[in-house]
Amino acid sequence: MRFVVHGGSKLMEISEYPQNLKTFLDKYGRGYLDYSTTSSLYKTVKDMGELVDVSKNKKRKTPPSWAVKIERNKPLVFVKNKDNLQVDICCDIQGKGNVVTKQNIELRVWSLNQQMSYRDEVDSLALKDELEIVNWKRVISRFHFDLKTTDTTKPEPICHLQIGGDSGSCLSEGSVSIKENCWHPSQLSIPRFFHVPFDIILICEFILVNFFPNESLDTRKKPEWVQLVKKSEEFFCKEYIKKCFDSLNDSKQTMLGNLAPDPKK
Amino acid sequence: MFRDSTSIGGVTMKIKTVYIDDVPSERNKYERRFGEHELSRDRFELISLDTPKCLDDYNVIRKLSPQLILVDYDLSRPDSNRDVIGISGLTLIAELKQHYRDIPIILFTKKSVFDNNNLSSFSSLFSVVDKVIYKSDLFKKESVLLDELYNIAFSYQELSKIKKIKWDTIFKLLGAHDDDYDKIKYSATPAMLQKEFTITGIAKWVTEVLLQYPGILYDSLYAATFLGICEEEFMSPQIQEYFSNAEYSGIFGKNRSFWWKSKLFDIACAKMDDEELDLPIREAFHRYWERVNRIELDKSVCVNNGDSPAEWVCYILKKPTMLNLSLPYSPDTRPEVMDEARVSFKAIKTTNDVNPEMIDSIVRDQYYEIRRSRRK
């Protein structure tokens, strides 16, 4: 299933997206991002910028293919918040011109809080020893925000949120390898909630609101921040929300029915 | 406000000042004024001289060991031999700076010298000058320029006493706290970061960066807005006493009042309860004050819509503004560590002083929309 983004005023062209990502990293990530983990995103942004360059595109016959990837083993890490929770994200977002063809974002919430990470009544002593070595760092929640793939056989919504999902690889912190030890069973891949598509900027806004609400209050009030986020909303969310709205007027099918059509057999 | 901490043993230090002007009547006039005015007679020892034309003239200056030099811009009056020296005050200052690197040299001149007071076209020439002061402004009633002049000269003296300048000595001269060391360094010039310290370089950095841009140090307007209260409230004796430990008492700060942002924050938070600590300072401080002192403080009020407490200061109107009713503005080359400049919607609507080229491009459309809305 693909979203084609078209129409609307002030619609962002994909050629603007790398600069928006860079603006976010340069201006709004300070105080929230661990900048030692941003180099791969900066590189992706630079590479993408060259791919979708406007002057280059004028000569092209077909829209450029682009990708924004943050590898699982080198996630973009946020600093820990006042509750000793630390979030990291990885993603694989791909497209062709203004069409998004793949959108997978994973968000992990790590606890560095002993009381939260280790459950006396449930977790083993062996786990306790393991967690102690890594300063109680443990994944307590994992979320996947995915665009449904064309070849799936599951009746999943076009854009969905899945809790848990495939467990990630270990996190490398210097020479130390930290296992997730997430208690959500990796075999459980349902339910999937229909959810607005996210890109990096939208998920970062989500993280700021949830994990740094007070610290990010001033930033989120600024018109320039609002504009930056709105450009991503227009590009990544508008069509999906339009579909949701249209389905309300569809007397023959429910919203979920429209957003999670039965897979073709 | 001049705080006289420049006296030693109760005696104010006098600054030996050389004033160079090719017009005898001007020299006489300012010798008299400096000698009579209550704010200058005990602080400046003024010696006026004609434009130096030969080595002997320069030696006269050298022997005086001045601590401050004032130079007129227009030195085109012919001498007794009807010869015109052919240099401007700026050229002379450039020459003097090579010999007197550790004292301030001020361009002291008439406003009419510069077309429509437009200094910007001369800005590239002013790099050799430590300050420009107009003659007509110096002795005006309510003028703070004499204090400024004294402050500059005194601060240069403090700097020149140091045999080897290091970052530690600079922090000490500023009266900086540990928490601010990194921020202060981030605001420094590339030369300073390479530990190439010169007295003039440090002086310019302190006066043109540290005290010029809000972010590490705040003047009363920014301090008040930071705390969420109006400027008058901030300047009240009770609040001033409460924040007295946050006051800046370092070099170049003696004729104006500044406060360390970090200390304002620490003092404001020191006795807050958990609920207050969860709020931004501008929301929390007046609540804390009311809880403890049973006094309601007047809050900072947004110039756009009257909401309070306001969150930032409009660069153009110099009034508090809400963040969402302002746009980011880049009027200068302030270091990133300083607070960003913002212009209020009101400034955009009601003045022609906002340059759209300086508005962040992502919201420039919004600037034009606001301008268009004036006509409706």
PDB file of all heavy atoms in Angstrom, chain B residues 68 70-72 106-111 114 119 129-139 143-146 148-150 152:
ATOM      1  N   LEU B  68      44.143  56.292  29.264  1.00  0.00           N
ATOM      2  CA  LEU B  68      42.992  56.408  28.361  1.00  0.00           C
ATOM      3  C   LEU B  68      43.361  57.473  27.336  1.00  0.00           C
ATOM      4  O   LEU B  68      43.976  58.485  27.690  1.00  0.00           O
ATOM      5  CB  LEU B  68      41.739  56.825  29.151  1.00  0.00           C
ATOM      6  CG  LEU B  68      40.481  57.226  28.399  1.00  0.00           C
ATOM      7  CD1 LEU B  68      39.864  56.037  27.682  1.00  0.00           C
ATOM      8  CD2 LEU B  68      39.457  57.828  29.361  1.00  0.00           C
ATOM      9  N   LEU B  70      41.644  59.801  24.183  1.00  0.00           N
ATOM     10  CA  LEU B  70      40.489  60.241  23.385  1.00  0.00           C
ATOM     11  C   LEU B  70      41.037  60.933  22.144  1.00  0.00           C
ATOM     12  O   LEU B  70      41.923  61.774  22.253  1.00  0.00           O
ATOM     13  CB  LEU B  70      39.618  61.231  24.179  1.00  0.00           C
ATOM     14  CG  LEU B  70      39.163  60.807  25.570  1.00  0.00           C
ATOM     15  CD1 LEU B  70      38.391  61.950  26.241  1.00  0.00           C
ATOM     16  CD2 LEU B  70      38.292  59.573  25.497  1.00  0.00           C
ATOM     17  N   VAL B  71      40.479  60.588  20.985  1.00  0.00           N
ATOM     18  CA  VAL B  71      40.985  61.165  19.739  1.00  0.00           C
ATOM     19  C   VAL B  71      39.820  61.710  18.931  1.00  0.00           C
ATOM     20  O   VAL B  71      38.822  61.008  18.710  1.00  0.00           O
ATOM     21  CB  VAL B  71      41.739  60.109  18.892  1.00  0.00           C
ATOM     22  CG1 VAL B  71      42.268  60.731  17.610  1.00  0.00           C
ATOM     23  CG2 VAL B  71      42.867  59.473  19.685  1.00  0.00           C
ATOM     24  N   ASP B  72      39.955  62.937  18.502  1.00  0.00           N
ATOM     25  CA  ASP B  72      38.934  63.524  17.629  1.00  0.00           C
ATOM     26  C   ASP B  72      39.053  62.905  16.238  1.00  0.00           C
ATOM     27  O   ASP B  72      40.143  62.475  15.827  1.00  0.00           O
ATOM     28  CB  ASP B  72      39.138  65.045  17.554  1.00  0.00           C
ATOM     29  CG  ASP B  72      38.054  65.734  16.756  1.00  0.00           C
ATOM     30  OD1 ASP B  72      36.887  65.266  16.798  1.00  0.00           O
ATOM     31  OD2 ASP B  72      38.349  66.734  16.067  1.00  0.00           O
ATOM     32  N   ILE B 106      39.647  55.845  22.428  1.00  0.00           N
ATOM     33  CA  ILE B 106      38.251  56.152  22.097  1.00  0.00           C
ATOM     34  C   ILE B 106      38.191  57.214  21.001  1.00  0.00           C
ATOM     35  O   ILE B 106      38.907  58.216  21.067  1.00  0.00           O
ATOM     36  CB  ILE B 106      37.529  56.708  23.357  1.00  0.00           C
ATOM     37  CG1 ILE B 106      37.773  55.821  24.581  1.00  0.00           C
ATOM     38  CG2 ILE B 106      36.062  56.934  23.084  1.00  0.00           C
ATOM     39  CD1 ILE B 106      37.081  54.496  24.559  1.00  0.00           C
ATOM     40  N   LEU B 107      37.331  56.989  20.038  1.00  0.00           N
ATOM     41  CA  LEU B 107      37.065  58.021  19.038  1.00  0.00           C
ATOM     42  C   LEU B 107      36.054  58.979  19.652  1.00  0.00           C
ATOM     43  O   LEU B 107      34.928  58.606  19.964  1.00  0.00           O
ATOM     44  CB  LEU B 107      36.509  57.387  17.762  1.00  0.00           C
ATOM     45  CG  LEU B 107      36.375  58.336  16.559  1.00  0.00           C
ATOM     46  CD1 LEU B 107      37.747  58.787  16.077  1.00  0.00           C
ATOM     47  CD2 LEU B 107      35.613  57.668  15.430  1.00  0.00           C
ATOM     48  N   PHE B 108      36.496  60.219  19.848  1.00  0.00           N
ATOM     49  CA  PHE B 108      35.681  61.206  20.563  1.00  0.00           C
ATOM     50  C   PHE B 108      35.398  62.324  19.588  1.00  0.00           C
ATOM     51  O   PHE B 108      36.286  63.130  19.284  1.00  0.00           O
ATOM     52  CB  PHE B 108      36.476  61.683  21.786  1.00  0.00           C
ATOM     53  CG  PHE B 108      35.749  62.656  22.655  1.00  0.00           C
ATOM     54  CD1 PHE B 108      34.495  62.378  23.160  1.00  0.00           C
ATOM     55  CD2 PHE B 108      36.354  63.859  23.016  1.00  0.00           C
ATOM     56  CE1 PHE B 108      33.837  63.269  23.989  1.00  0.00           C
ATOM     57  CE2 PHE B 108      35.700  64.760  23.853  1.00  0.00           C
ATOM     58  CZ  PHE B 108      34.448  64.470  24.341  1.00  0.00           C
ATOM     59  N   THR B 109      34.172  62.397  19.076  1.00  0.00           N
ATOM     60  CA  THR B 109      33.979  63.249  17.918  1.00  0.00           C
ATOM     61  C   THR B 109      32.558  63.790  17.843  1.00  0.00           C
ATOM     62  O   THR B 109      31.703  63.483  18.674  1.00  0.00           O
ATOM     63  CB  THR B 109      34.319  62.461  16.645  1.00  0.00           C
ATOM     64  OG1 THR B 109      34.296  63.336  15.514  1.00  0.00           O
ATOM     65  CG2 THR B 109      33.316  61.330  16.402  1.00  0.00           C
ATOM     66  N   LYS B 110      32.339  64.632  16.816  1.00  0.00           N
ATOM     67  CA  LYS B 110      31.012  65.212  16.628  1.00  0.00           C
ATOM     68  C   LYS B 110      30.156  64.265  15.799  1.00  0.00           C
ATOM     69  O   LYS B 110      30.664  63.599  14.896  1.00  0.00           O
ATOM     70  CB  LYS B 110      31.138  66.554  15.893  1.00  0.00           C
ATOM     71  CG  LYS B 110      31.815  67.618  16.717  1.00  0.00           C
ATOM     72  CD  LYS B 110      31.940  68.927  15.938  1.00  0.00           C
ATOM     73  CE  LYS B 110      32.628  69.957  16.824  1.00  0.00           C
ATOM     74  NZ  LYS B 110      32.997  71.163  16.108  1.00  0.00           N
ATOM     75  N   LYS B 111      28.874  64.282  16.075  1.00  0.00           N
ATOM     76  CA  LYS B 111      27.938  63.425  15.338  1.00  0.00           C
ATOM     77  C   LYS B 111      27.915  63.769  13.863  1.00  0.00           C
ATOM     78  O   LYS B 111      27.758  62.912  13.010  1.00  0.00           O
ATOM     79  CB  LYS B 111      26.522  63.594  15.892  1.00  0.00           C
ATOM     80  CG  LYS B 111      26.191  62.660  17.013  1.00  0.00           C
ATOM     81  CD  LYS B 111      24.730  62.797  17.432  1.00  0.00           C
ATOM     82  CE  LYS B 111      24.547  62.035  18.745  1.00  0.00           C
ATOM     83  NZ  LYS B 111      23.271  62.221  19.363  1.00  0.00           N
ATOM     84  N   PHE B 114      29.586  61.813  10.835  1.00  0.00           N
ATOM     85  CA  PHE B 114      29.035  60.627  10.160  1.00  0.00           C
ATOM     86  C   PHE B 114      27.658  60.975   9.620  1.00  0.00           C
ATOM     87  O   PHE B 114      26.805  61.436  10.336  1.00  0.00           O
ATOM     88  CB  PHE B 114      28.965  59.450  11.144  1.00  0.00           C
ATOM     89  CG  PHE B 114      30.277  59.144  11.788  1.00  0.00           C
ATOM     90  CD1 PHE B 114      30.497  59.395  13.134  1.00  0.00           C
ATOM     91  CD2 PHE B 114      31.321  58.638  11.040  1.00  0.00           C
ATOM     92  CE1 PHE B 114      31.720  59.134  13.726  1.00  0.00           C
ATOM     93  CE2 PHE B 114      32.548  58.367  11.623  1.00  0.00           C
ATOM     94  CZ  PHE B 114      32.742  58.618  12.973  1.00  0.00           C
ATOM     95  N   LEU B 119      26.648  54.800  11.388  1.00  0.00           N
ATOM     96  CA  LEU B 119      27.990  54.292  11.637  1.00  0.00           C
ATOM     97  C   LEU B 119      28.288  53.028  10.861  1.00  0.00           C
ATOM     98  O   LEU B 119      29.439  52.650  10.716  1.00  0.00           O
ATOM     99  CB  LEU B 119      28.151  53.996  13.134  1.00  0.00           C
ATOM    100  CG  LEU B 119      28.040  55.174  14.089  1.00  0.00           C
ATOM    101  CD1 LEU B 119      28.248  54.708  15.517  1.00  0.00           C
ATOM    102  CD2 LEU B 119      29.065  56.229  13.749  1.00  0.00           C
ATOM    103  N   VAL B 129      39.085  50.820  17.033  1.00  0.00           N
ATOM    104  CA  VAL B 129      38.588  51.732  18.058  1.00  0.00           C
ATOM    105  C   VAL B 129      37.923  50.926  19.171  1.00  0.00           C
ATOM    106  O   VAL B 129      37.199  49.976  18.901  1.00  0.00           O
ATOM    107  CB  VAL B 129      37.570  52.705  17.409  1.00  0.00           C
ATOM    108  CG1 VAL B 129      36.826  53.486  18.455  1.00  0.00           C
ATOM    109  CG2 VAL B 129      38.268  53.630  16.439  1.00  0.00           C
ATOM    110  N   ASP B 130      38.163  51.328  20.402  1.00  0.00           N
ATOM    111  CA  ASP B 130      37.524  50.617  21.514  1.00  0.00           C
ATOM    112  C   ASP B 130      36.107  51.087  21.760  1.00  0.00           C
ATOM    113  O   ASP B 130      35.282  50.342  22.282  1.00  0.00           O
ATOM    114  CB  ASP B 130      38.364  50.766  22.783  1.00  0.00           C
ATOM    115  CG  ASP B 130      39.692  50.037  22.641  1.00  0.00           C
ATOM    116  OD1 ASP B 130      39.670  48.836  22.313  1.00  0.00           O
ATOM    117  OD2 ASP B 130      40.751  50.672  22.811  1.00  0.00           O
ATOM    118  N   LYS B 131      35.839  52.315  21.380  1.00  0.00           N
ATOM    119  CA  LYS B 131      34.476  52.833  21.531  1.00  0.00           C
ATOM    120  C   LYS B 131      34.397  54.156  20.761  1.00  0.00           C
ATOM    121  O   LYS B 131      35.396  54.837  20.553  1.00  0.00           O
ATOM    122  CB  LYS B 131      34.164  53.075  23.006  1.00  0.00           C
ATOM    123  CG  LYS B 131      32.670  53.241  23.285  1.00  0.00           C
ATOM    124  CD  LYS B 131      32.360  53.215  24.750  1.00  0.00           C
ATOM    125  CE  LYS B 131      30.881  53.491  24.989  1.00  0.00           C
ATOM    126  NZ  LYS B 131      29.999  52.461  24.451  1.00  0.00           N
ATOM    127  N   VAL B 132      33.179  54.492  20.357  1.00  0.00           N
ATOM    128  CA  VAL B 132      32.934  55.803  19.751  1.00  0.00           C
ATOM    129  C   VAL B 132      32.028  56.573  20.698  1.00  0.00           C
ATOM    130  O   VAL B 132      30.988  56.057  21.117  1.00  0.00           O
ATOM    131  CB  VAL B 132      32.226  55.670  18.380  1.00  0.00           C
ATOM    132  CG1 VAL B 132      31.938  57.037  17.803  1.00  0.00           C
ATOM    133  CG2 VAL B 132      33.074  54.849  17.429  1.00  0.00           C
ATOM    134  N   ILE B 133      32.446  57.773  21.060  1.00  0.00           N
ATOM    135  CA  ILE B 133      31.606  58.616  21.925  1.00  0.00           C
ATOM    136  C   ILE B 133      31.437  59.965  21.237  1.00  0.00           C
ATOM    137  O   ILE B 133      32.416  60.572  20.779  1.00  0.00           O
ATOM    138  CB  ILE B 133      32.244  58.792  23.319  1.00  0.00           C
ATOM    139  CG1 ILE B 133      32.208  57.453  24.075  1.00  0.00           C
ATOM    140  CG2 ILE B 133      31.514  59.856  24.126  1.00  0.00           C
ATOM    141  CD1 ILE B 133      32.769  57.512  25.479  1.00  0.00           C
ATOM    142  N   TYR B 134      30.204  60.403  21.159  1.00  0.00           N
ATOM    143  CA  TYR B 134      29.931  61.716  20.572  1.00  0.00           C
ATOM    144  C   TYR B 134      30.132  62.796  21.631  1.00  0.00           C
ATOM    145  O   TYR B 134      29.659  62.671  22.771  1.00  0.00           O
ATOM    146  CB  TYR B 134      28.509  61.789  20.029  1.00  0.00           C
ATOM    147  CG  TYR B 134      28.269  60.858  18.874  1.00  0.00           C
ATOM    148  CD1 TYR B 134      27.240  59.926  18.904  1.00  0.00           C
ATOM    149  CD2 TYR B 134      29.075  60.900  17.735  1.00  0.00           C
ATOM    150  CE1 TYR B 134      27.008  59.082  17.830  1.00  0.00           C
ATOM    151  CE2 TYR B 134      28.854  60.056  16.667  1.00  0.00           C
ATOM    152  CZ  TYR B 134      27.827  59.147  16.725  1.00  0.00           C
ATOM    153  OH  TYR B 134      27.601  58.306  15.671  1.00  0.00           O
ATOM    154  N   LYS B 135      30.776  63.856  21.209  1.00  0.00           N
ATOM    155  CA  LYS B 135      31.073  64.963  22.133  1.00  0.00           C
ATOM    156  C   LYS B 135      29.791  65.520  22.747  1.00  0.00           C
ATOM    157  O   LYS B 135      29.740  65.827  23.936  1.00  0.00           O
ATOM    158  CB  LYS B 135      31.830  66.072  21.389  1.00  0.00           C
ATOM    159  CG  LYS B 135      33.269  65.691  21.056  1.00  0.00           C
ATOM    160  CD  LYS B 135      33.963  66.799  20.298  1.00  0.00           C
ATOM    161  CE  LYS B 135      35.446  66.458  20.111  1.00  0.00           C
ATOM    162  NZ  LYS B 135      36.171  67.482  19.346  1.00  0.00           N
ATOM    163  N   SER B 136      28.753  65.625  21.935  1.00  0.00           N
ATOM    164  CA  SER B 136      27.522  66.242  22.422  1.00  0.00           C
ATOM    165  C   SER B 136      26.823  65.394  23.479  1.00  0.00           C
ATOM    166  O   SER B 136      26.002  65.901  24.231  1.00  0.00           O
ATOM    167  CB  SER B 136      26.561  66.478  21.254  1.00  0.00           C
ATOM    168  OG  SER B 136      26.343  65.264  20.567  1.00  0.00           O
ATOM    169  N   ASP B 137      27.152  64.109  23.521  1.00  0.00           N
ATOM    170  CA  ASP B 137      26.456  63.215  24.456  1.00  0.00           C
ATOM    171  C   ASP B 137      27.163  63.079  25.800  1.00  0.00           C
ATOM    172  O   ASP B 137      26.547  62.729  26.798  1.00  0.00           O
ATOM    173  CB  ASP B 137      26.344  61.793  23.849  1.00  0.00           C
ATOM    174  CG  ASP B 137      25.388  61.748  22.671  1.00  0.00           C
ATOM    175  OD1 ASP B 137      24.581  62.690  22.516  1.00  0.00           O
ATOM    176  OD2 ASP B 137      25.462  60.771  21.900  1.00  0.00           O
ATOM    177  N   LEU B 138      28.444  63.363  25.835  1.00  0.00           N
ATOM    178  CA  LEU B 138      29.243  62.990  27.008  1.00  0.00           C
ATOM    179  C   LEU B 138      28.788  63.684  28.294  1.00  0.00           C
ATOM    180  O   LEU B 138      28.689  63.050  29.336  1.00  0.00           O
ATOM    181  CB  LEU B 138      30.725  63.265  26.745  1.00  0.00           C
ATOM    182  CG  LEU B 138      31.696  62.774  27.812  1.00  0.00           C
ATOM    183  CD1 LEU B 138      31.609  61.258  27.963  1.00  0.00           C
ATOM    184  CD2 LEU B 138      33.127  63.175  27.488  1.00  0.00           C
ATOM    185  N   PHE B 139      28.515  64.972  28.170  1.00  0.00           N
ATOM    186  CA  PHE B 139      28.184  65.712  29.396  1.00  0.00           C
ATOM    187  C   PHE B 139      26.697  66.035  29.495  1.00  0.00           C
ATOM    188  O   PHE B 139      26.287  66.889  30.279  1.00  0.00           O
ATOM    189  CB  PHE B 139      29.014  67.005  29.482  1.00  0.00           C
ATOM    190  CG  PHE B 139      30.455  66.725  29.764  1.00  0.00           C
ATOM    191  CD1 PHE B 139      31.383  66.684  28.736  1.00  0.00           C
ATOM    192  CD2 PHE B 139      30.900  66.489  31.057  1.00  0.00           C
ATOM    193  CE1 PHE B 139      32.728  66.419  28.987  1.00  0.00           C
ATOM    194  CE2 PHE B 139      32.242  66.223  31.323  1.00  0.00           C
ATOM    195  CZ  PHE B 139      33.160  66.190  30.288  1.00  0.00           C
ATOM    196  N   SER B 143      23.265  61.391  31.119  1.00  0.00           N
ATOM    197  CA  SER B 143      24.150  60.548  30.320  1.00  0.00           C
ATOM    198  C   SER B 143      24.971  59.641  31.241  1.00  0.00           C
ATOM    199  O   SER B 143      25.406  60.058  32.313  1.00  0.00           O
ATOM    200  CB  SER B 143      25.082  61.410  29.488  1.00  0.00           C
ATOM    201  OG  SER B 143      26.105  60.608  28.917  1.00  0.00           O
ATOM    202  N   VAL B 144      25.163  58.416  30.817  1.00  0.00           N
ATOM    203  CA  VAL B 144      25.980  57.471  31.595  1.00  0.00           C
ATOM    204  C   VAL B 144      27.364  57.291  30.966  1.00  0.00           C
ATOM    205  O   VAL B 144      28.141  56.429  31.376  1.00  0.00           O
ATOM    206  CB  VAL B 144      25.284  56.098  31.724  1.00  0.00           C
ATOM    207  CG1 VAL B 144      23.999  56.214  32.505  1.00  0.00           C
ATOM    208  CG2 VAL B 144      25.024  55.481  30.366  1.00  0.00           C
ATOM    209  N   LEU B 145      27.644  58.125  29.977  1.00  0.00           N
ATOM    210  CA  LEU B 145      28.877  57.900  29.217  1.00  0.00           C
ATOM    211  C   LEU B 145      30.139  58.153  30.034  1.00  0.00           C
ATOM    212  O   LEU B 145      31.153  57.483  29.822  1.00  0.00           O
ATOM    213  CB  LEU B 145      28.879  58.766  27.953  1.00  0.00           C
ATOM    214  CG  LEU B 145      27.927  58.276  26.865  1.00  0.00           C
ATOM    215  CD1 LEU B 145      27.868  59.271  25.718  1.00  0.00           C
ATOM    216  CD2 LEU B 145      28.360  56.915  26.339  1.00  0.00           C
ATOM    217  N   LEU B 146      30.078  59.101  30.945  1.00  0.00           N
ATOM    218  CA  LEU B 146      31.266  59.332  31.779  1.00  0.00           C
ATOM    219  C   LEU B 146      31.536  58.101  32.642  1.00  0.00           C
ATOM    220  O   LEU B 146      32.689  57.683  32.822  1.00  0.00           O
ATOM    221  CB  LEU B 146      31.066  60.569  32.659  1.00  0.00           C
ATOM    222  CG  LEU B 146      31.325  61.901  31.968  1.00  0.00           C
ATOM    223  CD1 LEU B 146      30.847  63.066  32.834  1.00  0.00           C
ATOM    224  CD2 LEU B 146      32.813  62.090  31.644  1.00  0.00           C
ATOM    225  N   GLU B 148      30.684  55.113  31.854  1.00  0.00           N
ATOM    226  CA  GLU B 148      31.162  54.071  30.931  1.00  0.00           C
ATOM    227  C   GLU B 148      32.634  54.247  30.619  1.00  0.00           C
ATOM    228  O   GLU B 148      33.404  53.293  30.604  1.00  0.00           O
ATOM    229  CB  GLU B 148      30.368  54.153  29.621  1.00  0.00           C
ATOM    230  CG  GLU B 148      29.430  52.982  29.417  1.00  0.00           C
ATOM    231  CD  GLU B 148      28.689  53.033  28.097  1.00  0.00           C
ATOM    232  OE1 GLU B 148      29.325  52.805  27.069  1.00  0.00           O
ATOM    233  OE2 GLU B 148      27.478  53.317  28.138  1.00  0.00           O
ATOM    234  N   LEU B 149      32.989  55.484  30.356  1.00  0.00           N
ATOM    235  CA  LEU B 149      34.386  55.792  30.013  1.00  0.00           C
ATOM    236  C   LEU B 149      35.311  55.404  31.166  1.00  0.00           C
ATOM    237  O   LEU B 149      36.359  54.772  30.984  1.00  0.00           O
ATOM    238  CB  LEU B 149      34.486  57.301  29.754  1.00  0.00           C
ATOM    239  CG  LEU B 149      35.595  57.811  28.853  1.00  0.00           C
ATOM    240  CD1 LEU B 149      35.555  57.119  27.506  1.00  0.00           C
ATOM    241  CD2 LEU B 149      35.451  59.323  28.662  1.00  0.00           C
ATOM    242  N   TYR B 150      34.890  55.768  32.335  1.00  0.00           N
ATOM    243  CA  TYR B 150      35.689  55.453  33.523  1.00  0.00           C
ATOM    244  C   TYR B 150      35.771  53.950  33.718  1.00  0.00           C
ATOM    245  O   TYR B 150      36.825  53.390  34.001  1.00  0.00           O
ATOM    246  CB  TYR B 150      35.077  56.127  34.755  1.00  0.00           C
ATOM    247  CG  TYR B 150      35.931  55.979  35.991  1.00  0.00           C
ATOM    248  CD1 TYR B 150      37.065  56.784  36.158  1.00  0.00           C
ATOM    249  CD2 TYR B 150      35.635  55.035  36.977  1.00  0.00           C
ATOM    250  CE1 TYR B 150      37.875  56.646  37.280  1.00  0.00           C
ATOM    251  CE2 TYR B 150      36.445  54.895  38.087  1.00  0.00           C
ATOM    252  CZ  TYR B 150      37.556  55.706  38.239  1.00  0.00           C
ATOM    253  OH  TYR B 150      38.358  55.560  39.347  1.00  0.00           O
ATOM    254  N   ILE B 152      35.505  51.603  31.500  1.00  0.00           N
ATOM    255  CA  ILE B 152      36.358  50.978  30.477  1.00  0.00           C
ATOM    256  C   ILE B 152      37.823  51.131  30.885  1.00  0.00           C
ATOM    257  O   ILE B 152      38.590  50.162  30.888  1.00  0.00           O
ATOM    258  CB  ILE B 152      36.125  51.619  29.091  1.00  0.00           C
ATOM    259  CG1 ILE B 152      34.748  51.236  28.540  1.00  0.00           C
ATOM    260  CG2 ILE B 152      37.208  51.199  28.094  1.00  0.00           C
ATOM    261  CD1 ILE B 152      34.351  51.991  27.294  1.00  0.00           C
TER     262      ILE B 152
END
